[in-house]
Amino acid sequence: ARQALESADRGWAWMVLLAAVLLQGLTLGFPSCIGVFFTDLQHEFHATNSETSWFPSIMVAVLHAGPLCSLLVKRFGCRFAVMLGGLLSGVGMVSSSFCKSLSQLYLTAGFITGLGSCFSFQAGVTVLGYYFVRWRTLANAMASTGVSLGLTLWPLLSQYLLDEMGWRNTFLIFGGILLNCCVCGAIMRPAQLANGGSSPHPEIQQQDRRTACFQMLQKYLAFDIFCQNKGYQIYTIGVTWMMLGFALPHIYLVPYAIHSGVEERRAALLISIIGFINIFIRPLTGLLSGLSVFTGRRIYLFSLAVLLCGLSNFICVISAKFSALIVYCVILSIAMSGIGALTFQVLMDVVEMDRFSSALGLFTILESITLLIGPPLTGLLVDITSDFHCVFYTSSFFLISAALFMALSFCALERKSKLKEASKVPLDNPSRCQYNEILTEPQSERQSSSAVIYITSI
């Protein structure tokens, strides 16, 4: 363990960090470009908005299947998971270039590529916890810049290749690009656990299948926490509801801009603007939210970011001019940066760290379900009304209602907690409010925890 601690945060660890940055750009940033192909896929397969939107929805939903990847990492290690994911992603996109129907596209580019991206991305984040101890927080923050780089570059590359050689050849090239995840995985050679720990729960193999299954669910899907912890319950319901509307602008913005008369290249540029601003705003938001003045109040910052995200959609309703859409992308990107930076910090505030991984497992599963059904249902609404404004009205409804629900619910929970404490013993530190009614670990101890953290495309 001592040798592992001495070798952490130096030497090869920084090469692993560089590989993690590339992985996040290749995997988590990739779905941002699908909107560029939306109109072409509709024309190719004579499909409705709802039918076409199932493709990116399946990809994003599978990409967020965190617990599935954690099982693979535990059994075979991070390097194997990353390289297997790169292989699946490449095969999925190459196969999609030969698809004759949308249903085949759902399986290849949607499910197979999404699953491969899930393996590569989540394992790439996990391995940072083995290579970094002192600079673990900084390493994760630097790795997340890969997402913003992917959001910036993928749409531009997609539009250029689409204009030059069509969507089938573009998907074929994308398959080759995603195979570079295997190269990133090769860099991530196995490292000792810095805490010198051994594999958890070895006794499970000796128990009957029913007990083992129950313990596995207990570890990765924390239904008991959901039932007992009011803060976790409110936050999980709020974010799950929010996700019904959060992904809609990312999928429908480019088709809406093209439908409104914006040139295709300029329409693709809109997504890149969101990604470019994210590069600078997301780290800044993360630093600000980490200040002690916001301790115990991050949920209100998160709710404010969600509210801003919902209100910004009305800009698209008011005007579809390119200049107005640029303003919309700037505001949306700022709000997205706040959401992305705060999502897991808030979750750490409401859940004890020894159960964080299991709480996060249930959180990501519920999140992926709403990410899957939200865009197709909205696409169906657009098909019925023939009005793209429905996308932004629907998105605003889910985002604004989720923001108000979380803020008001936590405010009521905080007031109830203060009244309860006041009736017993005066609070020593009233600025720090524990929503789960159980004393949690200090933030400094949390950062040194070796718990696996899943990161989403938020």
Side-chain angles (χ1 to χ4, degrees):
R2 184 178 179 181
Q3 183 180 2
L5 285 170
E6 290 177 352
S7 61
D9 303 292
R10 64 179 66 181
W12 194 253
W14 298 103
M15 288 298 297
V16 174
L17 175 59
L18 177 61
V21 172
L22 293 175
L23 271 178
Q24 294 203 22
L26 289 170
T27 57
L28 209 58
F30 181 67
S32 64
C33 72
I34 301 302
V36 174
F37 303 97
F38 197 94
T39 304
D40 287 78
L41 293 174
Q42 270 190 302
H43 294 160
E44 175 80 15
F45 298 112
H46 307 288
T48 63
N49 288 287
S50 179
E51 291 170 342
T52 309
S53 64
W54 275 109
F55 160 41
S57 296
I58 293 171
M59 178 185 290
V60 173
V62 177
L63 177 57
H64 287 79
L68 182 63
C69 178
S70 65
L71 294 173
L72 188 69
V73 169
K74 180 183 175 183
R75 179 66 180 85
F76 298 104
C78 293
R79 171 186 270 183
F80 177 85
V82 171
M83 297 183 73
L84 175 63
L87 182 62
L88 287 174
S89 298
V91 169
M93 290 308 298
V94 170
S95 301
S96 68
S97 65
F98 301 99
C99 287
K100 299 295 179 64
S101 66
L102 265 180
S103 58
Q104 294 176 357
L105 201 64
Y106 298 159
L107 176 63
T108 55
F111 181 78
I112 296 177
T113 299
L115 187 64
S117 296
C118 170
F119 290 163
S120 293
F121 166 67
Q122 301 287 7
V125 173
T126 303
V127 78
L128 292 178
Y130 299 152
Y131 274 95
F132 289 90
V133 178
R134 181 182 177 187
W135 300 109
R136 184 175 296 167
T137 303
L138 175 63
N140 279 290
M142 292 178 65
S144 68
T145 60
V147 183
S148 301
L149 290 171
L151 286 170
T152 304
L153 298 177
W154 275 116
L156 296 177
L157 178 63
S158 299
Q159 189 61 57
Y160 173 77
L161 293 177
L162 180 62
D163 292 340
E164 293 295 323
M165 56 188 66
W167 72 267
R168 291 187 183 275
N169 290 326
T170 301
F171 280 14
L172 187 64
I173 293 174
F174 282 175
I177 295 175
L178 291 176
L179 284 174
N180 284 285
C181 292
C182 297
V183 179
C184 296
I187 293 174
M188 297 174 175
R189 62 193 183 196
Q192 282 184 286
L193 284 173
N195 59 6
S198 58
S199 298
H201 305 298
E203 70 277 5
I204 288 180
Q205 297 176 357
Q206 301 175 357
Q207 299 173 349
D208 59 89
R209 292 183 179 181
R210 185 174 299 177
T211 305
C213 181
F214 175 77
Q215 291 191 2
M216 193 65 69
L217 288 174
Q218 177 103 6
K219 181 177 180 181
Y220 294 106
L221 298 174
F223 291 106
D224 59 326
I225 301 178
F226 184 81
C227 295
Q228 298 171 8
N229 186 329
K230 291 294 183 183
Y232 176 68
Q233 188 179 97
I234 292 169
Y235 186 57
T236 301
I237 292 173
V239 173
T240 301
W241 182 258
M242 178 196 80
M243 285 299 168
L244 284 168
F246 182 77
L248 300 182
H250 303 79
I251 294 175
Y252 288 105
L253 179 59
V254 174
Y256 170 67
I258 295 173
H259 178 77
S260 301
V262 177
E263 192 215 348
E264 291 184 4
R265 285 180 181 249
R266 301 180 88 187
L269 183 63
L270 294 172
I271 302 296
S272 296
I273 291 173
I274 295 175
F276 182 74
I277 295 174
N278 252 271
I279 296 175
F280 306 100
I281 300 298
R282 182 178 287 221
L284 180 62
T285 307
L287 289 173
L288 290 175
S289 64
L291 296 177
S292 59
V293 69
F294 294 119
T295 300
R297 299 184 179 90
R298 295 188 186 94
I299 181 61
Y300 301 112
L301 289 177
F302 180 81
S303 300
L304 182 62
V306 176
L307 181 64
L308 178 61
C309 196
L311 293 175
S312 66
N313 287 322
F314 290 111
I315 297 175
C316 293
V317 176
I318 295 172
S319 175
K321 293 182 179 179
F322 184 66
S323 57
L325 294 178
I326 289 179
V327 173
Y328 165 71
C329 289
V330 171
I331 298 175
L332 179 66
S333 181
I334 294 172
M336 279 179 55
S337 299
I339 294 172
L342 289 166
T343 300
F344 298 107
Q345 289 195 44
V346 174
L347 190 60
M348 289 180 184
D349 285 343
V350 299
V351 177
E352 291 181 294
M353 279 307 300
D354 61 347
R355 297 298 308 278
F356 180 77
S357 292
S358 56
L360 190 55
L362 179 61
F363 184 82
T364 54
I365 287 293
L366 294 176
E367 180 185 79
S368 66
I369 292 172
T370 49
L371 281 170
L372 175 65
I373 65 176
L377 290 178
T378 305
L380 181 62
L381 188 61
V382 173
D383 293 330
I384 294 173
T385 61
S386 300
D387 186 3
F388 265 101
H389 289 160
C390 291
V391 171
F392 302 100
Y393 283 129
T394 303
S395 178
S396 293
F397 168 73
F398 286 117
L399 291 168
I400 293 173
S401 59
L404 295 176
F405 168 74
M406 288 186 288
L408 295 176
S409 297
F410 271 95
C411 185
L413 193 62
E414 182 178 347
R415 182 175 300 178
K416 180 181 177 181
S417 179
K418 286 182 177 180
L419 290 174
K420 186 176 179 180
E421 290 292 334
S423 65
K424 295 180 179 179
V425 181
L427 287 172
D428 294 331
N429 185 6
S431 64
R432 184 178 178 86
C433 181
Q434 297 301 336
Y435 302 111
N436 60 358
E437 302 180 358
I438 300 174
L439 199 61
T440 57
E441 299 175 357
Q443 190 70 21
S444 60
E445 294 180 13
R446 291 179 184 179
Q447 291 176 354
S448 63
S449 171
S450 59
V452 176
I453 295 180
Y454 307 101
I455 301 178
T456 67
S457 56
I458 297 177

PDB file of all heavy atoms in Angstrom, residues 93-124:
ATOM      1  N   MET A  93     -20.694   1.380 -34.724  1.00  0.00           N
ATOM      2  CA  MET A  93     -20.795   2.450 -35.727  1.00  0.00           C
ATOM      3  C   MET A  93     -20.496   1.936 -37.139  1.00  0.00           C
ATOM      4  O   MET A  93     -21.134   2.369 -38.103  1.00  0.00           O
ATOM      5  CB  MET A  93     -19.850   3.594 -35.372  1.00  0.00           C
ATOM      6  CG  MET A  93     -20.257   4.390 -34.145  1.00  0.00           C
ATOM      7  SD  MET A  93     -21.969   4.977 -34.178  1.00  0.00           S
ATOM      8  CE  MET A  93     -21.946   6.053 -35.612  1.00  0.00           C
ATOM      9  N   VAL A  94     -19.521   1.028 -37.268  1.00  0.00           N
ATOM     10  CA  VAL A  94     -19.241   0.452 -38.590  1.00  0.00           C
ATOM     11  C   VAL A  94     -20.455  -0.322 -39.089  1.00  0.00           C
ATOM     12  O   VAL A  94     -20.859  -0.207 -40.254  1.00  0.00           O
ATOM     13  CB  VAL A  94     -17.997  -0.461 -38.525  1.00  0.00           C
ATOM     14  CG1 VAL A  94     -17.855  -1.257 -39.820  1.00  0.00           C
ATOM     15  CG2 VAL A  94     -16.739   0.364 -38.276  1.00  0.00           C
ATOM     16  N   SER A  95     -21.071  -1.110 -38.215  1.00  0.00           N
ATOM     17  CA  SER A  95     -22.262  -1.878 -38.594  1.00  0.00           C
ATOM     18  C   SER A  95     -23.418  -0.961 -38.968  1.00  0.00           C
ATOM     19  O   SER A  95     -24.200  -1.266 -39.881  1.00  0.00           O
ATOM     20  CB  SER A  95     -22.687  -2.793 -37.434  1.00  0.00           C
ATOM     21  OG  SER A  95     -21.649  -3.686 -37.089  1.00  0.00           O
ATOM     22  N   SER A  96     -23.532   0.172 -38.279  1.00  0.00           N
ATOM     23  CA  SER A  96     -24.645   1.084 -38.545  1.00  0.00           C
ATOM     24  C   SER A  96     -24.584   1.700 -39.936  1.00  0.00           C
ATOM     25  O   SER A  96     -25.603   2.104 -40.487  1.00  0.00           O
ATOM     26  CB  SER A  96     -24.671   2.198 -37.492  1.00  0.00           C
ATOM     27  OG  SER A  96     -23.552   3.056 -37.630  1.00  0.00           O
ATOM     28  N   SER A  97     -23.381   1.742 -40.501  1.00  0.00           N
ATOM     29  CA  SER A  97     -23.257   2.323 -41.841  1.00  0.00           C
ATOM     30  C   SER A  97     -23.883   1.425 -42.910  1.00  0.00           C
ATOM     31  O   SER A  97     -24.092   1.863 -44.050  1.00  0.00           O
ATOM     32  CB  SER A  97     -21.781   2.574 -42.177  1.00  0.00           C
ATOM     33  OG  SER A  97     -21.069   1.352 -42.260  1.00  0.00           O
ATOM     34  N   PHE A  98     -24.189   0.170 -42.565  1.00  0.00           N
ATOM     35  CA  PHE A  98     -24.816  -0.759 -43.510  1.00  0.00           C
ATOM     36  C   PHE A  98     -26.288  -1.017 -43.186  1.00  0.00           C
ATOM     37  O   PHE A  98     -26.905  -1.890 -43.788  1.00  0.00           O
ATOM     38  CB  PHE A  98     -24.061  -2.100 -43.503  1.00  0.00           C
ATOM     39  CG  PHE A  98     -22.610  -1.989 -43.875  1.00  0.00           C
ATOM     40  CD1 PHE A  98     -21.626  -1.967 -42.900  1.00  0.00           C
ATOM     41  CD2 PHE A  98     -22.228  -1.892 -45.214  1.00  0.00           C
ATOM     42  CE1 PHE A  98     -20.287  -1.870 -43.237  1.00  0.00           C
ATOM     43  CE2 PHE A  98     -20.886  -1.790 -45.558  1.00  0.00           C
ATOM     44  CZ  PHE A  98     -19.915  -1.766 -44.569  1.00  0.00           C
ATOM     45  N   CYS A  99     -26.839  -0.272 -42.250  1.00  0.00           N
ATOM     46  CA  CYS A  99     -28.219  -0.504 -41.814  1.00  0.00           C
ATOM     47  C   CYS A  99     -29.221  -0.203 -42.923  1.00  0.00           C
ATOM     48  O   CYS A  99     -29.074   0.782 -43.663  1.00  0.00           O
ATOM     49  CB  CYS A  99     -28.544   0.341 -40.580  1.00  0.00           C
ATOM     50  SG  CYS A  99     -27.767  -0.264 -39.070  1.00  0.00           S
ATOM     51  N   LYS A 100     -30.249  -1.042 -43.015  1.00  0.00           N
ATOM     52  CA  LYS A 100     -31.303  -0.855 -44.006  1.00  0.00           C
ATOM     53  C   LYS A 100     -32.604  -0.340 -43.375  1.00  0.00           C
ATOM     54  O   LYS A 100     -33.557  -0.062 -44.082  1.00  0.00           O
ATOM     55  CB  LYS A 100     -31.592  -2.193 -44.714  1.00  0.00           C
ATOM     56  CG  LYS A 100     -30.386  -2.755 -45.447  1.00  0.00           C
ATOM     57  CD  LYS A 100     -29.968  -1.849 -46.597  1.00  0.00           C
ATOM     58  CE  LYS A 100     -28.724  -2.408 -47.315  1.00  0.00           C
ATOM     59  NZ  LYS A 100     -28.966  -3.693 -47.962  1.00  0.00           N
ATOM     60  N   SER A 101     -32.625  -0.243 -42.048  1.00  0.00           N
ATOM     61  CA  SER A 101     -33.828   0.245 -41.375  1.00  0.00           C
ATOM     62  C   SER A 101     -33.438   0.910 -40.064  1.00  0.00           C
ATOM     63  O   SER A 101     -32.329   0.722 -39.552  1.00  0.00           O
ATOM     64  CB  SER A 101     -34.796  -0.914 -41.098  1.00  0.00           C
ATOM     65  OG  SER A 101     -34.233  -1.812 -40.154  1.00  0.00           O
ATOM     66  N   LEU A 102     -34.367   1.697 -39.512  1.00  0.00           N
ATOM     67  CA  LEU A 102     -34.101   2.368 -38.247  1.00  0.00           C
ATOM     68  C   LEU A 102     -33.964   1.378 -37.097  1.00  0.00           C
ATOM     69  O   LEU A 102     -33.183   1.593 -36.170  1.00  0.00           O
ATOM     70  CB  LEU A 102     -35.232   3.357 -37.931  1.00  0.00           C
ATOM     71  CG  LEU A 102     -35.015   4.816 -38.361  1.00  0.00           C
ATOM     72  CD1 LEU A 102     -36.218   5.653 -37.982  1.00  0.00           C
ATOM     73  CD2 LEU A 102     -33.751   5.395 -37.727  1.00  0.00           C
ATOM     74  N   SER A 103     -34.720   0.286 -37.145  1.00  0.00           N
ATOM     75  CA  SER A 103     -34.631  -0.712 -36.074  1.00  0.00           C
ATOM     76  C   SER A 103     -33.231  -1.307 -35.998  1.00  0.00           C
ATOM     77  O   SER A 103     -32.730  -1.594 -34.909  1.00  0.00           O
ATOM     78  CB  SER A 103     -35.671  -1.810 -36.289  1.00  0.00           C
ATOM     79  OG  SER A 103     -35.486  -2.435 -37.548  1.00  0.00           O
ATOM     80  N   GLN A 104     -32.594  -1.504 -37.157  1.00  0.00           N
ATOM     81  CA  GLN A 104     -31.210  -1.978 -37.154  1.00  0.00           C
ATOM     82  C   GLN A 104     -30.270  -0.919 -36.581  1.00  0.00           C
ATOM     83  O   GLN A 104     -29.304  -1.239 -35.884  1.00  0.00           O
ATOM     84  CB  GLN A 104     -30.777  -2.336 -38.578  1.00  0.00           C
ATOM     85  CG  GLN A 104     -31.534  -3.528 -39.164  1.00  0.00           C
ATOM     86  CD  GLN A 104     -31.154  -3.800 -40.616  1.00  0.00           C
ATOM     87  OE1 GLN A 104     -30.359  -3.071 -41.211  1.00  0.00           O
ATOM     88  NE2 GLN A 104     -31.731  -4.841 -41.192  1.00  0.00           N
ATOM     89  N   LEU A 105     -30.585   0.340 -36.838  1.00  0.00           N
ATOM     90  CA  LEU A 105     -29.785   1.446 -36.309  1.00  0.00           C
ATOM     91  C   LEU A 105     -29.922   1.525 -34.787  1.00  0.00           C
ATOM     92  O   LEU A 105     -28.953   1.844 -34.089  1.00  0.00           O
ATOM     93  CB  LEU A 105     -30.228   2.763 -36.947  1.00  0.00           C
ATOM     94  CG  LEU A 105     -29.224   3.931 -36.916  1.00  0.00           C
ATOM     95  CD1 LEU A 105     -27.990   3.583 -37.739  1.00  0.00           C
ATOM     96  CD2 LEU A 105     -29.868   5.198 -37.458  1.00  0.00           C
ATOM     97  N   TYR A 106     -31.119   1.240 -34.273  1.00  0.00           N
ATOM     98  CA  TYR A 106     -31.314   1.206 -32.824  1.00  0.00           C
ATOM     99  C   TYR A 106     -30.361   0.197 -32.174  1.00  0.00           C
ATOM    100  O   TYR A 106     -29.790   0.472 -31.102  1.00  0.00           O
ATOM    101  CB  TYR A 106     -32.751   0.795 -32.469  1.00  0.00           C
ATOM    102  CG  TYR A 106     -33.847   1.708 -32.957  1.00  0.00           C
ATOM    103  CD1 TYR A 106     -35.146   1.241 -33.088  1.00  0.00           C
ATOM    104  CD2 TYR A 106     -33.588   3.044 -33.270  1.00  0.00           C
ATOM    105  CE1 TYR A 106     -36.168   2.071 -33.527  1.00  0.00           C
ATOM    106  CE2 TYR A 106     -34.601   3.880 -33.723  1.00  0.00           C
ATOM    107  CZ  TYR A 106     -35.896   3.380 -33.849  1.00  0.00           C
ATOM    108  OH  TYR A 106     -36.903   4.196 -34.284  1.00  0.00           O
ATOM    109  N   LEU A 107     -30.207  -0.970 -32.819  1.00  0.00           N
ATOM    110  CA  LEU A 107     -29.377  -2.033 -32.255  1.00  0.00           C
ATOM    111  C   LEU A 107     -27.888  -1.720 -32.373  1.00  0.00           C
ATOM    112  O   LEU A 107     -27.136  -1.900 -31.412  1.00  0.00           O
ATOM    113  CB  LEU A 107     -29.688  -3.359 -32.948  1.00  0.00           C
ATOM    114  CG  LEU A 107     -28.824  -4.562 -32.544  1.00  0.00           C
ATOM    115  CD1 LEU A 107     -29.014  -4.890 -31.068  1.00  0.00           C
ATOM    116  CD2 LEU A 107     -29.137  -5.770 -33.416  1.00  0.00           C
ATOM    117  N   THR A 108     -27.465  -1.254 -33.537  1.00  0.00           N
ATOM    118  CA  THR A 108     -26.031  -1.060 -33.799  1.00  0.00           C
ATOM    119  C   THR A 108     -25.499   0.231 -33.173  1.00  0.00           C
ATOM    120  O   THR A 108     -24.771   0.193 -32.178  1.00  0.00           O
ATOM    121  CB  THR A 108     -25.764  -1.069 -35.313  1.00  0.00           C
ATOM    122  OG1 THR A 108     -26.605  -0.087 -35.958  1.00  0.00           O
ATOM    123  CG2 THR A 108     -26.058  -2.427 -35.904  1.00  0.00           C
ATOM    124  N   ALA A 109     -25.874   1.360 -33.758  1.00  0.00           N
ATOM    125  CA  ALA A 109     -25.369   2.644 -33.262  1.00  0.00           C
ATOM    126  C   ALA A 109     -25.980   3.008 -31.920  1.00  0.00           C
ATOM    127  O   ALA A 109     -25.351   3.684 -31.106  1.00  0.00           O
ATOM    128  CB  ALA A 109     -25.651   3.752 -34.281  1.00  0.00           C
ATOM    129  N   GLY A 110     -27.227   2.570 -31.676  1.00  0.00           N
ATOM    130  CA  GLY A 110     -27.882   2.897 -30.421  1.00  0.00           C
ATOM    131  C   GLY A 110     -27.398   2.058 -29.261  1.00  0.00           C
ATOM    132  O   GLY A 110     -26.717   2.548 -28.354  1.00  0.00           O
ATOM    133  N   PHE A 111     -27.704   0.761 -29.289  1.00  0.00           N
ATOM    134  CA  PHE A 111     -27.406  -0.104 -28.146  1.00  0.00           C
ATOM    135  C   PHE A 111     -25.930  -0.504 -28.081  1.00  0.00           C
ATOM    136  O   PHE A 111     -25.281  -0.342 -27.039  1.00  0.00           O
ATOM    137  CB  PHE A 111     -28.279  -1.363 -28.195  1.00  0.00           C
ATOM    138  CG  PHE A 111     -28.053  -2.285 -27.040  1.00  0.00           C
ATOM    139  CD1 PHE A 111     -28.603  -2.009 -25.797  1.00  0.00           C
ATOM    140  CD2 PHE A 111     -27.259  -3.417 -27.180  1.00  0.00           C
ATOM    141  CE1 PHE A 111     -28.380  -2.852 -24.716  1.00  0.00           C
ATOM    142  CE2 PHE A 111     -27.036  -4.266 -26.111  1.00  0.00           C
ATOM    143  CZ  PHE A 111     -27.605  -3.981 -24.874  1.00  0.00           C
ATOM    144  N   ILE A 112     -25.378  -1.034 -29.181  1.00  0.00           N
ATOM    145  CA  ILE A 112     -23.999  -1.554 -29.134  1.00  0.00           C
ATOM    146  C   ILE A 112     -22.995  -0.424 -28.907  1.00  0.00           C
ATOM    147  O   ILE A 112     -22.110  -0.526 -28.045  1.00  0.00           O
ATOM    148  CB  ILE A 112     -23.670  -2.324 -30.433  1.00  0.00           C
ATOM    149  CG1 ILE A 112     -24.570  -3.559 -30.556  1.00  0.00           C
ATOM    150  CG2 ILE A 112     -22.195  -2.736 -30.446  1.00  0.00           C
ATOM    151  CD1 ILE A 112     -24.366  -4.346 -31.837  1.00  0.00           C
ATOM    152  N   THR A 113     -23.120   0.666 -29.662  1.00  0.00           N
ATOM    153  CA  THR A 113     -22.208   1.796 -29.469  1.00  0.00           C
ATOM    154  C   THR A 113     -22.415   2.433 -28.103  1.00  0.00           C
ATOM    155  O   THR A 113     -21.451   2.819 -27.431  1.00  0.00           O
ATOM    156  CB  THR A 113     -22.399   2.848 -30.581  1.00  0.00           C
ATOM    157  OG1 THR A 113     -22.100   2.259 -31.839  1.00  0.00           O
ATOM    158  CG2 THR A 113     -21.485   4.051 -30.364  1.00  0.00           C
ATOM    159  N   GLY A 114     -23.671   2.563 -27.669  1.00  0.00           N
ATOM    160  CA  GLY A 114     -23.941   3.120 -26.345  1.00  0.00           C
ATOM    161  C   GLY A 114     -23.342   2.273 -25.235  1.00  0.00           C
ATOM    162  O   GLY A 114     -22.754   2.799 -24.282  1.00  0.00           O
ATOM    163  N   LEU A 115     -23.457   0.947 -25.362  1.00  0.00           N
ATOM    164  CA  LEU A 115     -22.898   0.048 -24.355  1.00  0.00           C
ATOM    165  C   LEU A 115     -21.376   0.126 -24.337  1.00  0.00           C
ATOM    166  O   LEU A 115     -20.752   0.158 -23.269  1.00  0.00           O
ATOM    167  CB  LEU A 115     -23.354  -1.385 -24.636  1.00  0.00           C
ATOM    168  CG  LEU A 115     -23.004  -2.438 -23.580  1.00  0.00           C
ATOM    169  CD1 LEU A 115     -23.711  -2.133 -22.272  1.00  0.00           C
ATOM    170  CD2 LEU A 115     -23.373  -3.832 -24.077  1.00  0.00           C
ATOM    171  N   GLY A 116     -20.780   0.169 -25.522  1.00  0.00           N
ATOM    172  CA  GLY A 116     -19.322   0.303 -25.594  1.00  0.00           C
ATOM    173  C   GLY A 116     -18.837   1.604 -24.995  1.00  0.00           C
ATOM    174  O   GLY A 116     -17.843   1.633 -24.251  1.00  0.00           O
ATOM    175  N   SER A 117     -19.551   2.680 -25.280  1.00  0.00           N
ATOM    176  CA  SER A 117     -19.183   3.980 -24.709  1.00  0.00           C
ATOM    177  C   SER A 117     -19.317   3.967 -23.197  1.00  0.00           C
ATOM    178  O   SER A 117     -18.515   4.573 -22.481  1.00  0.00           O
ATOM    179  CB  SER A 117     -20.069   5.084 -25.304  1.00  0.00           C
ATOM    180  OG  SER A 117     -19.860   5.209 -26.695  1.00  0.00           O
ATOM    181  N   CYS A 118     -20.336   3.275 -22.698  1.00  0.00           N
ATOM    182  CA  CYS A 118     -20.532   3.144 -21.252  1.00  0.00           C
ATOM    183  C   CYS A 118     -19.339   2.452 -20.603  1.00  0.00           C
ATOM    184  O   CYS A 118     -18.784   2.939 -19.611  1.00  0.00           O
ATOM    185  CB  CYS A 118     -21.816   2.366 -20.972  1.00  0.00           C
ATOM    186  SG  CYS A 118     -22.046   1.894 -19.238  1.00  0.00           S
ATOM    187  N   PHE A 119     -18.925   1.331 -21.175  1.00  0.00           N
ATOM    188  CA  PHE A 119     -17.790   0.588 -20.623  1.00  0.00           C
ATOM    189  C   PHE A 119     -16.515   1.441 -20.629  1.00  0.00           C
ATOM    190  O   PHE A 119     -15.801   1.518 -19.628  1.00  0.00           O
ATOM    191  CB  PHE A 119     -17.548  -0.686 -21.418  1.00  0.00           C
ATOM    192  CG  PHE A 119     -18.622  -1.735 -21.244  1.00  0.00           C
ATOM    193  CD1 PHE A 119     -18.749  -2.792 -22.134  1.00  0.00           C
ATOM    194  CD2 PHE A 119     -19.519  -1.670 -20.191  1.00  0.00           C
ATOM    195  CE1 PHE A 119     -19.729  -3.765 -21.971  1.00  0.00           C
ATOM    196  CE2 PHE A 119     -20.507  -2.630 -20.014  1.00  0.00           C
ATOM    197  CZ  PHE A 119     -20.608  -3.676 -20.919  1.00  0.00           C
ATOM    198  N   SER A 120     -16.229   2.071 -21.765  1.00  0.00           N
ATOM    199  CA  SER A 120     -14.990   2.841 -21.898  1.00  0.00           C
ATOM    200  C   SER A 120     -14.987   4.054 -20.976  1.00  0.00           C
ATOM    201  O   SER A 120     -14.008   4.315 -20.269  1.00  0.00           O
ATOM    202  CB  SER A 120     -14.803   3.303 -23.345  1.00  0.00           C
ATOM    203  OG  SER A 120     -14.583   2.212 -24.201  1.00  0.00           O
ATOM    204  N   PHE A 121     -16.084   4.769 -20.964  1.00  0.00           N
ATOM    205  CA  PHE A 121     -16.133   6.007 -20.187  1.00  0.00           C
ATOM    206  C   PHE A 121     -16.082   5.748 -18.680  1.00  0.00           C
ATOM    207  O   PHE A 121     -15.269   6.315 -17.964  1.00  0.00           O
ATOM    208  CB  PHE A 121     -17.396   6.790 -20.547  1.00  0.00           C
ATOM    209  CG  PHE A 121     -17.710   7.884 -19.572  1.00  0.00           C
ATOM    210  CD1 PHE A 121     -16.879   8.987 -19.460  1.00  0.00           C
ATOM    211  CD2 PHE A 121     -18.822   7.804 -18.760  1.00  0.00           C
ATOM    212  CE1 PHE A 121     -17.146   9.984 -18.549  1.00  0.00           C
ATOM    213  CE2 PHE A 121     -19.106   8.804 -17.848  1.00  0.00           C
ATOM    214  CZ  PHE A 121     -18.268   9.892 -17.744  1.00  0.00           C
ATOM    215  N   GLN A 122     -16.973   4.879 -18.201  1.00  0.00           N
ATOM    216  CA  GLN A 122     -17.043   4.666 -16.763  1.00  0.00           C
ATOM    217  C   GLN A 122     -15.762   4.031 -16.222  1.00  0.00           C
ATOM    218  O   GLN A 122     -15.275   4.400 -15.147  1.00  0.00           O
ATOM    219  CB  GLN A 122     -18.249   3.769 -16.426  1.00  0.00           C
ATOM    220  CG  GLN A 122     -19.598   4.313 -16.865  1.00  0.00           C
ATOM    221  CD  GLN A 122     -20.072   5.477 -16.002  1.00  0.00           C
ATOM    222  OE1 GLN A 122     -19.337   5.958 -15.150  1.00  0.00           O
ATOM    223  NE2 GLN A 122     -21.278   5.934 -16.238  1.00  0.00           N
ATOM    224  N   ALA A 123     -15.195   3.089 -16.957  1.00  0.00           N
ATOM    225  CA  ALA A 123     -13.945   2.466 -16.509  1.00  0.00           C
ATOM    226  C   ALA A 123     -12.792   3.466 -16.561  1.00  0.00           C
ATOM    227  O   ALA A 123     -11.893   3.437 -15.714  1.00  0.00           O
ATOM    228  CB  ALA A 123     -13.626   1.255 -17.383  1.00  0.00           C
ATOM    229  N   GLY A 124     -12.833   4.380 -17.546  1.00  0.00           N
ATOM    230  CA  GLY A 124     -11.801   5.407 -17.648  1.00  0.00           C
ATOM    231  C   GLY A 124     -11.825   6.375 -16.478  1.00  0.00           C
ATOM    232  O   GLY A 124     -10.781   6.871 -16.036  1.00  0.00           O
TER     233      GLY A 124
END
